[in-house]
Amino acid sequence: MPLVLNEEQEMLKSSAAGFLAEKAPVSALRKLRDDRDAAGFSRALWEEMSEMGWAGIAIPEAYGGLEYGYVGLGLILEEMGRQLSVSPLQSSVMVGASLINIGGSEAHKRTLLPAVAEGKLLITLALQEGLHHAPEKTALKAIASGDNFILTGKKVLVMDAHVADKIVVAARTSGNAGDAEGISLFLLDAKTEGLSRERVIMVDSRNSGNVVLDNVSVSKADLIGDLNGGMAILEQVLDIANACLSAELLGLSLQAYEATIEYLKQRSQFGVLIGSFQALQHRAADMFAELELCKSMVLASLQAIDNGEDNVSLMAAATKAKLCEVAERVTNEAVQMHGGIGMTDEFDMGFYMKRARVAQQTFGGYSYQLDRFASLNGF
Amino acid sequence: MPDLEQFRADTRSWLEENCPETMRQPMMDESDMVGGGRKPTFKHPDQKLWMERMAAKGWTVPTWPKQYGGGGLDKHEAKILREEMSSLQCRAPLQGMGISMLGPALLEYGSEAQKLQHLPKIANGDIWWCQGYSEPGAGSDLASLQTKAEEKDDYFLVNGSKVWTSGADKADWIFCLVRTDNSGSKHHGISFLLFDMTSPGVSVKPILLISGRSPFCETFFDDVKVPKENLMGEQDKGWSIAKYLLTHEREMISGFGRGASKKFCETAVEAIGLEHGRLADPVLRNDIAKLELNILAFAKTMERVGDETKSGKGLGAASSIFKYYGTELNKTRCELMIDVNGEQAMGWEGDNYAGGHFSRTWLRSKGNSIEGGTSEVQLNIIAKRVLGL
Ligand SMILES: Cc1cc2nc3c(=O)[nH]c(=O)nc-3n(C[C@H](O)[C@H](O)[C@H](O)COP(=O)(O)OP(=O)(O)OC[C@H]3O[C@@H](n4cnc5c(N)ncnc54)[C@H](O)[C@@H]3O)c2cc1C
């Protein structure tokens, strides 16, 4: 498959760009933050997005989706990155729906996916326990008891935890923390007895949350995938999530970069435009080169997912590592090259830097991904 | 499409039959390259055989028209040939400035007579070309060149000197930038001449490189008479030809960033070994992972730009990064190659040290970000032309 967007994809991208610029620009994020909005996103807007099919973009047609693939989802996320639009697209579609679609039973898919595609059901994943992303270190215990499992423990950094309807919890059913084997995935209703949620507002003004499970009972029927076989499902979902987060990082980096180039053409010091200083020109040109590499990697890894290629993990790790490196550099330079104004809350650039860091860390940052890339290459 | 599949099958079987086994081994260094010329040197007789067989099919320059010694292949066929050659690990049969630099410029700007005179000889490896661009006072600021060509009856009288002329001591002909007018802006008044290096008044003096080889020279012109029909394009308007040719030179040089057929990390594992499945040297592992990541991302970008061009989107701005990024990447690779192979890699002569292969390759790579326009100049170009700064 050629590394270019087809006409349909180009159209999706430009219509998403237009829609988001109008309805979900950075000023909307700022307003959500300043109003201390209870949901942390606009439900009315999410409804509109869902009506356009975005919530079902990567869900198979058989389950009420558009079956447009992850290239499609990535294009929307890239544009959302440009505008820093807030929505449950990442928690519920990129992660939740992918998880059900990959690991769920036919019954799970039939009951859950159409509701996700309509934007009526939010599913999120509760995975992380410690400071860092390390899925194999899952320790939260699920102890068999008759036809049920009893779950006790705490999860952190659960996207949109406080507004989710369903939460998939990764729990240890055998072995020890650190073993890839022995992790199982349980689908829980967010209102289950013994489950409590605490909203955590992140530096990028988005929602994360802690989920505490205190002797929560869950039926075997709510197991996603095989008992002890959760890791294989998680790996696939995390590859998808990291490729998609890379698309978001690409969008926000391009936006921050382009705004900076514009500023270099407007701001004068010493009687000349600051863009005429070679010290800034060379850094700008070098970042241009890096961003071109990022574009290629994002598209290549999303295509690899859609084509079911056998190097998806390697491509996802490589892409996320590259985007972590470049997004960090570009957002830092964007603030630096704006001088004092870049440090003000009133100016938008800070939002880009904040969002970049959260997206970088989500499901494994630079060092995690580079290490994974090396291991997948056999060294 | 079925035609292309047939073409692929035919190409593959022809290559399998005609490419000698020795020409399917990776090239170790510059001495394995074949440049042709009037007095060609072949390290191995198979090099000659392989060059001649490919030239007979026009496949030393697969996309050039047949009447000029090319293979007349379209983009798709040429891609298939490239793919089949790389899957069989066939070496390039013939390389040099004639094929990758002057040829494309001749096709674009040459007169019919010039094309017929020069292109077939380039394709067959009969003539070795060198490039007379840089001068002692005109490097990055190439347009300030001063080698003078005075118009006489039916010839130009050329006086001046060039420097860093790669292969001038072996070359048969030179394509040379000269000044025919000094009155206007520095970009005006440059002309593009082609002439025989055996012309009276041409002399060369080799310059030893840090890699211990001597592929470049000082080149002097002392009342050299160049027939007027050897002017390519219009008089005084050679600068656009010069730039056109430079884009091809940069494309060729950036190919170094593409990486070798064998993955760098495999070499590293052989040399250093694994501990618990990881390269035993954790610091190097980190550097090599970064390198492999960038090699992959660079290759994907070349692929994307190629696909965009094929789909009719035109050559995007992304192509402006190739020379800069590819050469910097190659320098990083060569530095790491030394680290991976340890102090042995610093050997200079003798079989133990692969004849100085590593150290010489490492040293030569430093020139990649200087020749064909330095990295700094490439960044200037991106800043000005692409970013509009
Ligand atoms: C291996 C090799 C082979 C070569 N082969 C040939 C050949 O066959 N034919 C030929 O004609 N030439 C050849 N060259 C010459 C090459 O094109 C020049 O060396 C090159 O263009 C740089 O010019 P210079 O050496 O005069 O360096 P300078 O232009 O003097 O540059 C010195 C330093 O200043 C920097 N600099 C210069 N201008 C600027 C600027 N505006 N902004 C920022 N930094 C700047 C450069 O980047 C460099 O770091 C070869 C060079 C090498 C190394």
Side-chain angles (χ1 to χ4, degrees):
Chain A
M1 180 176 284
L3 267 182
V4 276
L5 298 181
N6 62 33
E7 224 167 285
E8 214 179 6
Q9 290 163 339
E10 292 276 12
M11 267 168 60
L12 171 67
K13 186 167 195 267
S14 71
S15 76
F19 177 86
L20 294 166
E22 188 194 329
K23 307 254 172 139
V26 190
S27 55
L29 168 67
R30 183 185 291 279
K31 188 162 185 320
L32 289 166
R33 180 193 72 171
D34 294 347
D35 293 352
R36 303 191 73 79
D37 187 274
F41 69 97
S42 160
R43 287 190 192 271
L45 187 67
W46 179 234
E47 225 170 89
E48 270 190 76
M49 291 178 183
S50 304
E51 273 163 24
M52 292 190 296
W54 291 6
I57 189 125
I59 294 175
E61 277 181 24
Y63 305 114
L66 288 186
E67 203 168 316
Y68 219 94
Y70 287 99
V71 172
L73 178 57
L75 290 174
I76 294 174
L77 285 169
E78 182 183 332
E79 294 307 320
M80 288 189 155
R82 277 190 178 267
Q83 305 293 341
L84 299 181
S85 314
V86 197
S87 83
L89 194 68
Q90 291 187 339
S91 58
S92 190
V93 178
M94 175 181 92
V95 177
S98 300
L99 220 159
I100 301 300
N101 192 37
I102 289 167
S105 64
E106 184 57 29
H108 285 136
K109 293 187 203 179
R110 250 184 297 116
T111 49
L112 300 171
L113 291 180
V116 174
E118 279 181 54
K120 301 225 159 81
L121 182 78
L122 297 186
I123 306 181
T124 191
L125 168 68
L127 176 62
Q128 192 162 331
E129 295 173 16
L131 294 178
H132 300 284
H133 174 71
E136 72 289 348
K137 289 196 180 146
T138 296
L140 186 144
K141 277 247 158 33
I143 295 164
S145 149
D147 271 349
N148 289 341
F149 284 87
I150 309 294
L151 277 59
T152 299
K154 185 179 174 186
K155 292 285 183 181
V156 296
L157 295 165
V158 180
M159 283 194 242
D160 292 328
H162 75 299
V163 287
D165 303 301
K166 302 267 181 193
I167 302 180
V168 176
V169 177
R172 184 149 295 280
T173 38
S174 83
N176 297 306
D179 299 345
E181 274 295 299
I183 296 169
S184 304
L185 302 172
F186 294 95
L187 178 70
L188 273 72
D189 199 284
K191 304 219 166 68
T192 307
E193 209 186 309
L195 186 159
S196 57
R197 297 176 277 173
E198 180 196 359
R199 180 181 182 187
V200 176
I201 295 177
M202 303 293 286
V203 67
D204 63 346
S205 311
R206 293 198 196 189
N207 295 316
S208 190
N210 301 327
V211 174
V212 177
L213 302 164
D214 182 13
N215 282 307
V216 174
S217 174
V218 47
S219 145
K220 272 191 180 143
D222 292 322
L223 204 54
I224 303 285
D226 295 336
L227 185 67
N228 296 324
M231 196 61 190
I233 300 167
L234 281 176
E235 281 203 340
Q236 285 186 62
V237 173
L238 291 168
D239 287 341
I240 288 171
N242 277 309
C244 288
L245 283 164
S246 300
E248 192 202 14
L249 284 166
L250 174 63
L252 72 84
S253 301
L254 287 171
Q255 187 66 33
Y257 178 74
E258 287 163 17
T260 304
I261 298 299
E262 275 317 299
Y263 191 68
L264 297 187
K265 294 176 188 175
Q266 284 164 14
R267 168 79 175 162
S268 289
Q269 282 294 282
F270 299 99
V272 292
L273 291 173
I274 58 172
S276 66
F277 299 136
Q278 201 177 52
L280 301 188
Q281 286 182 349
H282 281 194
R283 276 146 66 190
D286 186 58
M287 284 190 280
F288 174 82
E290 293 289 358
L291 284 165
E292 288 300 321
L293 266 63
C294 288
K295 288 181 192 170
S296 319
M297 290 301 285
V298 166
L299 184 56
S301 61
L302 293 168
Q303 282 187 353
I305 296 169
D306 286 346
N307 298 341
E309 282 163 27
D310 54 15
N311 64 346
V312 167
S313 296
L314 188 141
M315 285 302 294
T319 304
K320 183 75 181 305
K322 189 74 201 159
L323 267 293
C324 284
E325 175 207 336
V326 176
E328 182 164 318
R329 171 151 164 230
V330 167
T331 50
N332 284 341
E333 286 282 45
V335 169
Q336 177 67 21
M337 291 189 190
H338 276 86
I341 198 169
M343 285 300 292
T344 61
D345 182 71
E346 195 189 335
F347 192 66
D348 287 339
M349 200 51 81
F351 281 110
Y352 285 86
M353 183 151 78
K354 293 168 181 175
R355 178 61 200 153
R357 289 310 177 282
V358 176
Q360 284 167 239
Q361 290 291 332
T362 304
F363 303 134
Y366 177 72
S367 60
Y368 179 89
Q369 303 296 347
L370 194 68
D371 178 76
R372 183 167 159 78
F373 171 72
S375 296
L376 289 166
N377 263 308
F379 70 104
Chain B
M1 271 314 171
D3 284 354
L4 284 181
E5 281 321 302
Q6 188 59 46
F7 178 77
R8 186 183 291 281
D10 294 348
T11 301
R12 192 171 181 91
S13 62
W14 188 88
L15 289 171
E16 274 168 351
E17 251 166 66
N18 288 281
C19 183
E21 199 47 46
T22 47
M23 294 296 105
R24 297 189 206 176
Q25 310 298 325
M27 295 202 206
M28 285 299 274
D29 54 37
E30 284 173 313
S31 69
D32 285 333
M33 294 206 251
V34 173
R38 286 178 187 141
K39 301 181 291 293
T41 48
F42 296 104
K43 209 167 127 183
H44 192 289
D46 284 348
Q47 289 181 322
K48 182 164 188 279
L49 189 68
W50 177 226
M51 179 187 85
E52 285 170 356
R53 283 179 179 170
M54 285 291 272
K57 276 191 92 74
W59 284 1
T60 51
V61 282
T63 58
W64 292 8
K66 284 195 167 154
Q67 71 264 35
Y68 306 133
L73 303 189
D74 66 24
K75 286 192 291 225
H76 306 288
E77 293 165 333
K79 183 160 180 249
I80 290 174
L81 175 60
R82 261 199 317 274
E83 286 166 359
E84 292 306 316
M85 282 181 69
S86 97
S87 96
L88 293 174
Q89 303 205 318
C90 306
R91 289 185 186 177
L94 179 65
Q95 285 171 289
M97 293 181 172
I99 286 186
S100 40
M101 289 154 60
L102 179 63
L106 264 168
L107 284 166
E108 187 74 18
Y109 293 95
S111 67
E112 190 55 28
Q114 287 168 340
K115 290 183 200 174
L116 288 169
Q117 182 188 356
H118 298 297
L119 291 172
K121 290 183 183 157
I122 293 175
N124 291 330
D126 295 338
I127 292 292
W128 174 316
W129 285 85
C130 66
Q131 175 189 32
Y133 271 37
S134 307
E135 296 179 5
S140 298
D141 183 14
L142 179 62
S144 68
L145 61 97
Q146 291 303 335
T147 291
K148 200 162 82 178
E150 282 170 275
E151 205 177 345
K152 302 283 175 186
D153 311 328
D154 57 349
Y155 62 89
F156 291 101
L157 190 66
V158 178
N159 278 290
S161 68
K162 296 285 173 182
V163 70
W164 322 133
T165 327
S166 294
D169 52 341
K170 300 199 185 67
D172 307 307
W173 276 65
I174 185 168
F175 52 92
C176 192
L177 296 179
V178 295
R179 186 155 295 287
T180 36
D181 182 8
N182 227 337
S183 63
S185 85
K186 64 181 178 181
H187 296 108
H188 174 82
I190 292 173
S191 299
F192 199 105
L193 291 184
L194 312 173
F195 53 93
D196 196 316
M197 289 291 279
T198 58
S199 311
V202 178
S203 60
V204 298
K205 201 168 128 204
I207 308 169
L208 199 62
L209 281 175
I210 51 177
S211 56
R213 302 219 164 86
S214 178
F216 67 21
C217 302
E218 284 179 277
T219 309
F220 304 97
F221 310 120
D222 186 13
D223 281 341
V224 179
K225 288 181 184 171
V226 178
K228 275 205 173 151
E229 65 258 29
N230 290 11
L231 170 71
M232 193 164 123
E234 273 183 74
Q235 188 169 331
D236 294 336
K237 294 192 179 151
W239 182 242
S240 30
I241 309 179
K243 281 194 300 186
Y244 179 83
L245 187 140
L246 274 176
T247 61
H248 285 273
E249 176 173 13
R250 287 167 186 166
E251 205 179 295
M252 175 190 72
I253 296 170
S254 51
F256 296 140
R258 225 186 292 234
S261 48
K262 185 171 180 176
K263 271 192 162 181
F264 190 92
C265 58
E266 289 168 18
T267 312
V269 169
E270 280 166 23
I272 293 172
L274 297 173
E275 257 169 36
H276 310 296
R278 294 154 159 262
L279 198 70
D281 180 333
V283 177
L284 258 184
R285 178 177 185 266
N286 182 43
D287 289 347
I288 292 169
K290 280 191 213 170
L291 172 74
E292 285 288 6
L293 172 53
N294 285 331
I295 289 175
L296 173 65
F298 186 67
K300 286 286 170 201
T301 304
M302 292 196 125
E303 185 184 331
R304 176 168 65 87
V305 170
D307 287 345
E308 282 173 0
T309 315
K310 253 185 272 161
S311 77
K313 290 190 179 182
L315 190 61
S319 60
S320 65
I321 73 167
F322 290 158
K323 161 70 168 74
Y324 164 66
Y325 210 94
T327 56
E328 294 297 334
L329 200 52
N330 193 42
K331 286 197 299 183
T332 308
R333 192 216 331 262
C334 288
E335 280 302 341
L336 279 171
M337 191 56 96
I338 297 288
D339 290 337
V340 160
N341 287 287
E343 201 177 343
Q344 287 245 31
M346 303 307 293
W348 186 248
E349 277 173 19
D351 290 345
N352 278 348
Y353 306 115
H357 164 64
F358 292 120
S359 52
R360 290 169 195 268
T361 305
W362 160 68
L363 286 162
R364 178 61 183 83
S365 74
K366 302 300 174 196
N368 296 159
S369 52
I370 299 171
E371 58 201 316
T374 67
S375 281
E376 290 76 17
V377 165
Q378 298 307 307
L379 291 174
N380 288 346
I381 291 174
I382 297 172
K384 293 209 170 66
R385 306 239 181 92
V386 182
L387 304 178
L389 294 175

